[in-house]
């Protein structure tokens, strides 16, 4: 081996060393790059709450809750089964002289329990449309597999089991809550998520979910103050928790006047309106503040219109959707896009969902609202929080008037 060979070997070794070093540096830089991406993903602002606030109906007369299943609607044979079973459920409800709300609740329940199919299997010995169990006194296996029998059991109860009509205030409580009261599910919050899909199916099946009933069920008159009132949009019977949209202590109802009117006047600086609310603006703002934050109960989930109506002392707003309340207020009271409302005004947002959102303006750029900081609770936040957190579009404000309240 001569001197030239030694030199060549040394150069080759140096090249390999350089490549090895470069490879090591490349690996290290790659690791740091990946870590950086992960950190950016973790630190980037994300939308922690969607804009479905107040998306469920109150009295159960219109569409609302988003379909949370994430699956496309059934089609073909499955859809035919669902339509046939929906018609059977509605036929039984009509036979029992129950209103359309009863059909709606039953459809939501069956959609959650069996996807509205008459299943011959389920958890333990659960079977049928409502996954009722022979071992739990719902009837024999053959009986439960009969859709008419199962539907009647859901509405009237069977054996030792309560039915829909046995649930206190079932005509005014939240739809999903009533379904849970009958079913006793380990997943009580899943029923409400089927409302919109079920309403579409009912329309397809030509079912009238708005029909009334001539029957009066004893349970309708039972007081159940510990149970949250219905209404993501505003209808809450007197005596129910006055802070449903936020601790679990039921309200005594003493702060909710029935009607009467010490509302006073309200002005935008140009026009002045006479209010007929049971509470004055000053009293309403004080009530909202006293029932927000640490003093809020957790009963207000998707009940923004209920909250603002109760703030002003009404038992219910008389309107199904928050965004629709803006439309029932006289045109000369609407302040489209104006961001300078007087304290006590009602502010509205288009959330991209059917119901929209409404909040009470307290002054100094702050509003009292449910769900925006904590789902189910009322908190005081900046008025533009809905635009930043929910990507909602501000609509405008109106004086605190409730043309259809009661």
């Amino acid at each position: 081996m001569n001197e030239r060979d030694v030199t060549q070997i040394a150069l080759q070794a140096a090249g390999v060393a350089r490549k090895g070093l470069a490879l090591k540096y490349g690996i290290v830089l790659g690791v740091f790059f990946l870590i950086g991406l992960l950190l950016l993903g973790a630190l980037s602002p994300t939308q922690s709450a969607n804009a479905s606030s107040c998306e469920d109906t109150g009295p159960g007369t219109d569409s609302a809750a988003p379909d949370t299943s994430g699956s496309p609607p059934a089609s073909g044979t499955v859809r035919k089964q669902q339509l046939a079973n929906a018609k059977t459920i509605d036929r039984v409800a009509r036979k029992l002289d129950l209103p359309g709300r009863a059909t709606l609740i039953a459809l939501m329940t069956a959609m959650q329990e069996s996807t509205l199919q008459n299943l011959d299997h389920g958890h333990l010995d659960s079977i049928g449309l409502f996954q009722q169990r022979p071992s739990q006194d719902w009837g024999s296996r053959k009986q439960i597999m009969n859709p008419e029998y199962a539907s009647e059991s859901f509405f009237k109860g069977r054996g030792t089991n309560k039915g829909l009509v046995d649930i206190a205030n079932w005509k005014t409580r939240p739809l999903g809550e009533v379904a849970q009261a009958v079913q006793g599910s380990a997943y009580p919050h899943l029923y409400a998520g089927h409302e919109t899909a079920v309403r579409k199916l009912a329309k397809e099946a030509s079912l009238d979910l708005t029909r009334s009933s001539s029957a009066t069920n004893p349970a309708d008159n039972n007081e159940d103050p510990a149970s949250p009132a219905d209404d993501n949009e505003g209808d809450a019977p007197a005596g129910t928790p006055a802070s449903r949209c936020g601790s679990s202590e039921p309200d005594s109802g003493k702060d909710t006047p029935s009607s009467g009117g010490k509302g006073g006047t309200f002005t935008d600086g140009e026009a002045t309106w006479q209010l007929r609310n049971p509470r004055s603006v000053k009293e309403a703002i004080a009530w909202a503040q006293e029932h927000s934050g640490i003093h809020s109960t957790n009963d207000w989930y998707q009940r923004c219109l209920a909250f603002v109506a109760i703030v002003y002392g009404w038992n219910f707003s008389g309107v199904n959707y928050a965004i629709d309340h803006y439309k029932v207020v006289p045109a000369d009271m609407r302040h489209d896009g104006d961001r300078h409302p007087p304290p006590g005004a009602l502010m509205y947002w288009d959330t991209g969902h059917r119901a929209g959102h409404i909040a009470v303006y307290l002054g100094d750029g702050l509003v009292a609202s449910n769900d925006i900081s904590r789902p189910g609770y009322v908190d005081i936040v900046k008025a533009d929080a809905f635009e930043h957190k929910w990507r909602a579009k501000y609509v405008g404000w109106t004086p605190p008037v409730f043309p259809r309240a009661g």
Side-chain angles (χ1 to χ4, degrees):
M1 181 181 294
N2 56 32
E3 184 178 347
R4 182 177 178 181
D5 292 334
V6 172
T7 302
Q8 186 66 30
I9 291 172
L11 289 172
Q12 290 176 351
V16 170
R18 284 195 299 274
K19 289 180 180 178
L21 186 61
L23 181 61
K24 290 180 180 178
Y25 277 126
I27 293 173
V28 172
L29 289 173
V31 170
F32 277 112
F33 178 72
L34 290 174
I35 292 174
L37 288 177
L38 291 173
L39 287 174
L40 284 173
L43 295 176
S44 295
T46 57
Q47 194 169 341
S48 59
N50 62 35
S52 63
S53 181
C54 303
E55 188 64 3
D56 278 343
T57 58
T61 55
D62 288 292
S63 176
D67 181 6
T68 57
S69 64
S71 59
S75 59
T77 303
V78 172
R79 192 60 168 182
K80 290 179 181 179
Q81 292 177 23
Q82 290 179 329
L83 291 170
N85 289 326
K87 291 177 181 179
T88 297
I89 290 172
D90 185 61
R91 184 168 62 252
V92 173
R94 288 175 177 274
K95 179 181 176 182
L96 298 174
D97 196 20
L98 294 174
R101 178 181 172 86
T103 295
L104 175 60
I105 296 172
L107 293 178
M108 291 167 59
T109 304
M111 185 64 80
Q112 169 58 32
E113 297 290 354
S114 66
T115 62
L116 258 175
Q117 298 180 77
N118 196 26
L119 302 179
D120 62 357
H121 59 277
H123 178 63
L124 299 177
D125 61 336
S126 300
I127 53 173
L129 287 174
F130 299 94
Q131 290 292 282
Q132 295 153 340
R133 300 176 60 186
S135 64
Q136 299 299 312
D137 208 20
W138 283 104
S140 68
R141 181 179 177 87
K142 182 178 179 179
Q143 288 173 321
I144 296 173
M145 286 300 295
N146 181 324
E148 290 194 16
Y149 177 94
S151 299
E152 186 176 284
S153 297
F154 177 81
F155 290 127
K156 294 179 61 179
R158 190 75 68 175
T160 58
N161 299 292
K162 286 185 177 182
L164 174 72
V165 298
D166 299 312
I167 307 304
N169 302 316
W170 71 268
K171 290 184 179 180
T172 55
R173 289 168 64 177
L175 303 171
E177 182 180 297
V178 177
Q180 169 63 13
V182 178
Q183 298 296 105
S185 171
Y187 305 96
H189 303 299
L190 296 181
Y191 297 107
H194 295 285
E195 185 181 350
T196 292
V198 159
R199 286 185 179 279
K200 291 178 181 177
L201 183 141
K203 184 176 182 180
E204 188 176 343
S206 300
L207 306 183
D208 180 12
L209 299 182
T210 65
R211 72 174 185 278
S212 59
S213 169
S214 61
T216 300
N217 298 299
D220 295 343
N221 300 318
N222 294 343
E223 291 299 327
D224 188 11
S227 301
D230 185 20
D231 165 47
N232 303 310
E233 308 334 315
D235 299 349
T240 56
S243 54
R244 168 148 180 88
C245 251
S247 169
S248 57
E249 293 295 325
D251 191 278
S252 65
K254 64 184 179 182
D255 289 321
T256 307
S258 56
S259 63
K262 42 172 150 174
T265 60
F266 196 89
T267 181
D268 62 359
E270 296 181 0
T272 300
W273 301 279
Q274 182 68 45
L275 303 178
R276 65 181 187 92
N277 301 321
R279 289 196 185 101
S280 68
V281 171
K282 183 178 179 180
E283 290 172 332
I285 290 177
W287 193 96
Q289 293 171 328
E290 290 169 2
H291 290 77
S292 299
I294 62 173
H295 302 294
S296 173
T297 68
N298 62 353
D299 299 313
W300 292 106
Y301 183 61
Q302 295 188 339
R303 298 185 65 243
C304 56
L305 187 50
F307 175 68
V308 299
I310 292 173
V311 162
Y312 274 96
W314 295 105
N315 294 328
F316 53 90
S317 70
V319 180
N320 291 321
Y321 297 115
I323 201 67
D324 287 353
H325 191 266
Y326 190 73
K327 301 171 186 175
V328 303
V329 172
D332 64 337
M333 295 185 181
R334 301 177 207 155
H335 295 70
D336 298 341
D338 183 79
R339 292 180 178 273
H340 304 284
L346 307 181
M347 301 181 74
Y348 305 77
W349 286 265
D350 179 348
T351 61
H353 294 263
R354 173 64 180 86
H357 194 74
I358 187 172
V360 178
Y361 185 64
L362 305 179
D364 298 322
L366 301 175
V367 295
S369 172
N370 61 301
D371 294 345
I372 184 64
S373 293
R374 302 171 294 165
Y377 291 83
V378 173
D379 290 289
I380 296 176
V381 299
K382 290 184 177 180
D384 61 359
F386 312 100
E387 294 149 69
H388 296 311
K389 193 170 184 178
W390 289 347
R391 305 294 187 267
K393 180 181 178 182
Y394 179 62
V395 174
W397 66 268
T398 69
V401 296
F402 299 86
R404 301 180 183 176

